[in-house]
Amino acid sequence: MRTTTTFVAGALVATVAQAQVVQWDIVKRQNAPNKLTRRQANTFTEVITNEKLRGGYFATCQVGTPAQNLTLQLDTGSSDIWVPSSSASVCEQSGDDGCSFGSFDENSSTTMEVVGEGEFSISYVDGSSSKGDYITDRFEIGGATLDNMTMGLGLRTDIPYGLVGVGYALNEAIVANTQSASESYDNLPVLLQKQGLINTNAYSLWLNDLDANTGSILFGGIDTEKYQGDLTRINIYKDSSSQAFTSFTVAMTSLQAVSSTGSDSLSSSSFPIPVVLDSGTTFSYLPTDLAEQVWREVGAEYYPQYGVPLLPCNMENSAGHFSFGFGGSGGPVINVTMDELVVSLADGDPYTFPSGQYSGQAACQFGLQNFSSSTYLLGDTFLRSAYVVYDLVNNEIALAPTDFNATDSNVVAFPSDGAQIPSATAAPNQAEVTQSGSLTTPTYGASGGFKDDDASAASMLLPGFDWSQITVMGVSMGLMMVGSGFFLL
């Protein structure tokens, strides 16, 4: 999960009014000062930072008494809050190699209590991990203070920042460690409801586009000005082993490639595909048979020695897009354009293809990658194009196309515990979703359009580079945020 990326500091904008809604705004700012502003009734607003290259979304929070500022990654794919201890070896390093987003000095907080010594342990699929104690302490988001918030304290960690997990309580690390649902505790969204800050355990996510400065996660409500068209509800599926709701898994039932030369319905033997909507994952991971069709459509080249598909960076100018369908016919459809799918390899000088059809052109990663798991991930490269409402009480998700860079706001709170998602209708044919996928070869009629759309974009010829660096940069970046959604115990 660690890279050489320089992080961007986030500003704090907090608003406190009546209960029912808590909102974090996503703002991409560098070295911005903290400030408080009043906004509108029933909202709490906190700035979180869109770290473009790393792909995560980070919030400045306050922990302990007196309050200590830490910037933590927001993650819909996990369920624990955890913070790195100032005594962790990774935090004792200097500069960007250390905990530049802050660490927690547990000995300086008068309200911290250890409630599970040595019981916190989480390991991510990229090999990184964090271990230590479970603690309770004061936790503040957007001016709303939660007392006795249970958190993990990373005493032995190789991850230089912590996370704010907002998933199901049954996905907490301690539940998996002990194999006991009774060990679950009130995590952030549950405690927000129990302390009367929101009416029900639900929230909506608006990440905005890749280069945007603003976006938000809104607990307890939706913002009708942040999406286009109508919200459509689809079912969340239970974990096949535990038969419990542990992750935001939904049925992806179609994928189309669309360009100026035509459209292709892409296929997979895995349709309908179980996909987890996970803000803690940088890229999106599809079955290999489907991912290979996507790569051929856009001309991405897969490098097995590095484990990533690459394509020219100027493909971000292509007018082609991919249409993701969910919940069967009549379900929500989200279009993802190429400018959301072409991701830089580094924040310094661009890398270039050393040979082949793209020789001399700047190389970027492609945001749709392959994965061998039976549960696949739609991360930030997908989520930026969707307005997503997570309802953890009714076990539903509502989707609509995002309204990029919207400036208006109309917040509608869930009226009560267990209320349906406001302004949303159910997908009409979810009962038809069955395991009936088959693999067929598309005509690739859209492929020429992806490339033709980009033909007028000038390709800058740049000096070559040592492609062995991709072993670190490519593979690390490809996995760096998957861990926050799925952990190994």
Side-chain angles (χ1 to χ4, degrees):
M1 295 176 69
R2 297 179 59 194
T3 70
T4 58
T5 304
T6 300
F7 284 83
V8 179
L12 171 65
V13 179
T15 313
V16 180
Q18 300 174 2
Q20 296 178 355
V21 175
V22 175
Q23 178 171 307
W24 287 356
D25 281 356
I26 298 166
V27 175
K28 187 178 180 183
R29 296 176 181 168
Q30 188 163 359
N31 299 325
N34 290 349
K35 61 181 180 179
L36 298 176
T37 60
R38 179 170 294 278
R39 187 172 169 179
Q40 66 178 77
N42 302 332
T43 66
F44 296 87
T45 304
E46 180 174 349
V47 169
I48 62 179
T49 300
N50 172 9
E51 178 39 63
K52 177 179 176 180
L53 182 61
R54 184 173 288 268
Y57 291 83
F58 292 81
T60 299
C61 308
Q62 290 73 45
V63 182
T65 306
Q68 302 177 39
N69 287 340
L70 286 84
T71 300
L72 309 175
Q73 186 196 1
L74 172 69
D75 184 16
T76 63
S78 64
S79 303
D80 296 275
I81 297 174
W82 74 265
V83 296
S85 170
S86 298
S87 64
S89 59
V90 68
C91 295
E92 294 177 347
Q93 300 180 45
S94 60
D96 293 335
D97 291 331
C99 295
S100 58
F101 267 18
S103 59
F104 182 59
D105 183 356
E106 62 272 21
N107 296 318
S108 297
S109 175
T110 60
T111 49
M112 189 278 296
E113 293 187 14
V114 176
V115 294
E117 185 174 359
E119 292 182 358
F120 175 68
S121 178
I122 188 168
S123 298
Y124 298 99
V125 298
D126 64 350
S128 60
S129 64
S130 182
K131 295 176 171 53
D133 302 334
Y134 271 108
I135 63 172
T136 60
D137 209 337
R138 179 169 294 181
F139 184 79
E140 184 175 338
I141 55 169
T145 299
L146 298 165
D147 292 320
N148 299 315
M149 182 78 244
T150 300
M151 296 171 278
L153 177 65
L155 297 168
R156 299 175 302 283
T157 177
D158 52 10
I159 308 168
Y161 54 87
L163 280 83
V164 177
V166 292
Y168 284 106
L170 287 180
N171 193 37
E172 292 163 356
I174 195 169
V175 175
N177 283 334
T178 61
Q179 296 295 302
S180 173
S182 64
E183 293 295 322
S184 67
Y185 59 87
D186 293 342
N187 68 352
L188 178 60
V190 173
L191 202 57
L192 284 170
Q193 182 188 12
K194 286 191 173 182
Q195 294 197 8
L197 297 173
I198 58 177
N199 288 330
T200 193
N201 189 352
Y203 50 86
S204 54
L205 186 65
W206 181 63
L207 296 185
N208 214 346
D209 68 32
L210 184 60
D211 296 315
N213 290 328
T214 59
S216 64
I217 180 170
L218 177 66
F219 289 93
I222 68 169
D223 190 334
T224 62
E225 295 297 328
K226 296 300 189 290
Y227 60 88
Q228 299 176 340
D230 299 318
L231 284 168
T232 305
R233 304 194 314 266
I234 54 177
N235 297 327
I236 297 173
Y237 288 85
K238 293 181 178 180
D239 176 76
S240 58
S241 299
S242 66
Q243 290 301 302
F245 292 102
T246 59
S247 65
F248 300 124
T249 302
V250 298
M252 175 180 154
T253 51
S254 65
L255 181 61
Q256 282 194 315
V258 182
S259 76
S260 59
T261 60
S263 63
D264 294 309
S265 294
L266 307 183
S267 65
S268 172
S269 58
S270 299
F271 273 125
I273 301 170
V275 292
V276 176
L277 305 183
D278 180 9
S279 71
T281 299
T282 306
F283 300 105
S284 296
Y285 294 84
L286 303 173
T288 298
D289 58 359
L290 184 60
E292 288 176 342
Q293 296 170 58
V294 171
W295 299 340
R296 180 168 172 182
E297 291 281 5
V298 301
E301 295 183 352
Y302 181 74
Y303 287 77
Q305 65 270 46
Y306 311 123
V308 294
L310 303 175
L311 77 174
C313 294
N314 59 28
M315 281 295 292
E316 67 180 359
N317 300 311
S318 171
H321 68 266
F322 291 91
S323 296
F324 292 74
F326 301 87
S329 59
V333 176
I334 305 298
N335 294 333
V336 182
T337 54
M338 289 294 289
D339 57 346
E340 298 298 324
L341 294 173
V342 179
V343 181
S344 297
L345 280 167
D347 59 350
D349 293 335
Y351 296 153
T352 61
F353 289 93
S355 60
Q357 62 173 324
Y358 301 132
S359 178
Q361 297 188 45
C364 281
Q365 290 192 89
F366 188 50
L368 299 180
Q369 303 195 10
N370 67 315
F371 204 42
S372 58
S373 170
S374 59
T375 299
Y376 303 93
L377 306 174
L378 294 183
D380 296 338
T381 54
F382 167 82
L383 291 172
R384 281 187 285 265
S385 299
Y387 188 85
V388 188
V389 187
Y390 299 80
D391 182 350
L392 287 74
V393 177
N394 296 303
N395 302 305
E396 291 183 318
I397 280 177
L399 294 166
T402 194
D403 188 357
F404 286 122
N405 300 308
T407 56
D408 294 333
S409 178
N410 179 42
V411 172
V412 178
F414 283 75
S416 61
D417 184 17
Q420 293 282 359
I421 298 171
S423 304
T425 58
N429 297 304
Q430 294 190 80
E432 299 176 359
V433 177
T434 59
Q435 292 291 339
S436 58
S438 61
L439 181 62
T440 59
T441 302
T443 62
Y444 295 107
S447 179
F450 278 97
K451 301 176 183 66
D452 290 343
D453 291 337
D454 184 55
S456 61
S459 300
M460 182 179 294
L461 299 183
L462 300 165
F465 70 103
D466 180 3
W467 276 69
S468 64
Q469 296 178 59
I470 293 291
T471 303
V472 176
M473 291 299 299
V475 175
S476 175
M477 291 185 64
L479 293 176
M480 63 188 170
M481 291 301 159
V482 175
S484 53
F486 284 86
F487 47 84
L488 305 177
L489 299 156

